Every structure is written in C-alpha cells, then in structure tokens.
Amino acid sequence: MDWTFEVVVVPVSDVDRAKAFYVDQVGFTLDHDISPGPGQRLVQLTPPGSGCSIVLGKGMVPDMPPGSLKGLQLVVADVRKAREELVERGVEVSELQLYGPDPGTGALEDLDNIGFVHFSDPDGNGWSVQQISARAKR
C-alpha cells in the first residue's frame, strides 16, 4: 500500500498576509481559497513541482500558535539558484550553509545533501531549502 503525504497545516495569525507571502514572494501556487461557512476559511498552496501542499486557515484548522511550526523542508536541484530567486522576490533568506564537508571543487553536485538556506514566513514558521539534485526538478 502506498501512503502519500499530502498536506501540512501552517499556523498563521493573518491568512491574507501569509497567502500573499507564500504566493507572491515564495512562489507557491494557490490551489484553493474557500470559505465553507461563517468564520471559516481554508487556503491551500503548493510549492512548484511538489506533491504536498500547505494549508492556512481560520475556524477549521487545528489550533496551533502562529509561528510554532519549524523544520519544514523543501528540496531543490540548485540551492544557490533557489536562494537567488527568493532574494529577488523579497524573502529574507540565510546565506548558503553547508552541513557536511565542503569538497571545494565548485561543482553544483558538491552541494547535494549538504547545501541549505533557511527562511521564515511573517509569523516565524521556519523553512529549510536543501539541494538534492537527483530528487528535484531543475
């Protein structure tokens, strides 16, 4: 039996502000923005190429403190290019960080599994972007 991981609820204080951040700055695709009932709202967003989405919401998602989600991770083929794209879109993103020995040859593949950048959404939910060329689309 296959089990697919489909959705992560991201706790935010302002759904519109978070939606704008993830769509306009990070580049996620807006899948749904619905209000199924009074005081309820569900916004589903998907990173380009991902099989898993995030959900922002009000009145129908688990009650978690805004900004309390840490350790969300995206995988890309080129972490330097991803960082550049985030910076161009106005996201405050860390410098490239290596979590392993630096082979120092300068080849793109040298960053596989060890090259990361980090950013947070306006509420402080924390994201990492890791380079794994073999598993990510260029």
Side-chain angles (χ1 to χ4, degrees):
M1 174 183 311
D2 288 340
W3 294 29
T4 62
F5 191 63
E6 300 283 333
V7 174
V8 174
V9 176
V10 178
V12 298
S13 60
D14 181 324
V15 174
D16 287 318
R17 179 181 72 171
K19 175 184 165 186
F21 173 78
Y22 285 109
V23 171
D24 299 336
Q25 291 186 265
V26 182
F28 286 15
T29 300
L30 174 63
D31 301 320
H32 308 285
D33 186 345
I34 60 172
S35 296
Q40 296 179 329
R41 184 168 177 203
L42 182 87
V43 176
Q44 182 173 327
L45 308 160
T46 303
S50 180
C52 185
S53 301
I54 65 169
V55 166
L56 316 170
K58 179 180 174 188
M60 56 186 305
V61 296
D63 187 20
M64 298 183 291
S68 63
L69 196 55
K70 308 294 183 200
L72 294 163
Q73 188 161 321
L74 299 166
V75 172
V76 296
D78 183 337
V79 71
R80 287 186 179 108
K81 186 175 179 181
R83 182 183 186 284
E84 182 179 296
E85 191 174 304
L86 289 169
V87 168
E88 287 174 1
R89 292 172 176 232
V91 176
E92 288 186 34
V93 60
S94 73
E95 295 295 327
L96 176 65
Q97 298 181 10
L98 302 180
Y99 297 109
D102 181 0
T105 69
L108 177 64
E109 292 77 19
D110 285 350
L111 296 176
D112 279 356
N113 303 307
I114 65 168
F116 287 80
V117 295
H118 308 280
F119 68 92
S120 295
D121 72 11
D123 284 294
N125 294 298
W127 291 83
S128 296
V129 182
Q130 179 185 21
Q131 178 171 311
I132 304 178
S133 299
R135 290 191 5 216
K137 296 178 184 176
R138 288 189 188 266

